Amino acid sequence: MTGLSGLRAVVTGGASGIGLATARALAAQGAAVAVLDLDPDAVSEPLLGLRADVTDDASVRAAVEQAAERLGGLDILVNNAGIGAVGTVEDNPDEQWHRVLDVNVLGIVRTTRAALPHLRRSAHAAVVNTCSIGATAGLPQRALYCASKGAVLSLTLAMAADHVREGVRVNCVNPGTADTPWVGRLLDAADDPEAERAALNARQPMGRLVTADEVAAAIVYLASPAAASVTGTALAVDGGMQGL
Ligand code: NAI
């Protein structure tokens, strides 16, 4: 893996799970990293924690400007903040649809819009969106979540086309079920969390969940100069869930 020293990165939703693993992996490769999250106090040095709510345009703009000022510019944006929803189209009320799409899709729009003026000035500009295999697979009981991630995939491709001539690459990762606090919360809510975990593992071709570090490694690759010719791509990190 190419070193990232001298590069400056912003990771949204970087205080937990895949985002935290990514922020740490970017820093371990030498990048200066700002985490934009509702809960910035959850991160510690060398990560710079900044409060931002990706559903609030003013808060995103202020945090991106602060990150660019503190880090001396921006080269890498990881749009990772996301929330889930369980249910079929009959289960989720309109307000929940608006809420999930606001975080998962518009959150990327707002953060990218704020970051692009800085990214255009970088010689190694890269945006990586955390999408999901739910973008291309019909997962049961995840109608709203799958629709939101389908939009993230399309948005990734459209942004890649719009900004390729400006030297800004845009890609996404499609994780399968990853062992993060998010999945921990879903398991805790189950009647029998241990049985539920065993069932989750059993449906994986590899017999286990993907780890946050494995998804982070894919994000770091797409964000790095090693991927200089890679744009408009979705990289699955799903333990073979979709392909096998
Ligand atoms: P997580 O719940 O552990 O972490 C999500 C982070 O996003 C938290 O730190 C939270 O504070 C932050 N966040 C939530 N709403 C926010 C907002 N409005 N503004 C700023 N920050 C906000 O979740 P996890 O599992 O690490 O998920 C991260 C991303 O990975 C999400 O986009 C999710 O859809 C995606 N993903 C997760 C999978 C999994 O199985 N865990 C599988 C496929 C995709």
Side-chain angles (χ1 to χ4, degrees):
M1 192 79 69
T2 316
L4 301 178
S5 61
L7 300 185
R8 299 135 313 171
V10 159
V11 181
T12 71
S16 172
I18 291 168
L20 180 57
T22 300
R24 286 180 173 150
L26 289 167
Q29 297 269 338
V33 183
V35 161
L36 272 51
D37 203 290
L38 297 171
D39 185 19
D41 297 335
V43 304
S44 51
E45 288 201 4
L47 306 178
L48 170 65
L50 297 172
R51 214 203 101 74
D53 178 347
V54 298
T55 67
D56 175 353
D57 196 48
S59 124
V60 169
R61 281 186 183 282
V64 168
E65 286 313 309
Q66 209 182 334
E69 195 180 316
R70 297 274 293 271
L71 306 182
L74 286 184
D75 307 283
I76 294 166
L77 170 62
V78 181
N79 285 310
N80 168 80
I83 57 174
V86 175
T88 71
V89 284
E90 294 183 296
D91 299 323
N92 306 124
D94 284 9
E95 303 74 53
Q96 201 176 4
W97 276 84
H98 287 299
R99 173 74 194 157
V100 173
L101 292 171
D102 200 11
V103 176
N104 292 7
V105 184
L106 282 158
I108 294 179
V109 173
R110 293 185 187 100
T111 314
T112 308
R113 202 161 52 195
L116 270 170
H118 301 287
L119 294 173
R120 286 193 187 98
R121 290 197 279 272
S122 164
H124 301 285
V127 177
V128 185
N129 300 324
T130 307
C131 191
S132 166
I133 55 159
T136 54
L139 306 177
Q141 292 288 326
R142 297 288 187 278
L144 165 48
Y145 183 69
C146 287
S148 77
K149 293 299 184 176
V152 171
L153 178 59
S154 300
L155 182 60
T156 301
L157 302 180
M159 292 192 326
D162 282 336
H163 304 294
V164 64
R165 298 276 181 182
E166 300 170 350
V168 180
R169 299 183 297 103
V170 186
N171 293 286
C172 66
V173 287
N174 287 357
T177 309
D179 201 354
T180 70
W182 169 333
V183 169
R185 288 191 295 275
L186 281 176
L187 290 176
D188 287 345
D191 292 337
D192 184 345
E194 277 316 305
E196 191 67 23
R197 179 175 282 279
L200 268 187
N201 287 338
R203 82 173 190 198
Q204 305 299 317
M206 292 183 178
R208 66 166 179 86
L209 301 187
V210 170
T211 70
D213 287 338
E214 289 167 338
V215 181
I219 294 174
V220 169
Y221 164 67
L222 290 171
S224 75
S229 289
V230 183
T231 194
T233 284
L235 178 51
V237 185
D238 64 355
M241 205 172 162
Q242 234 188 317
L244 305 184

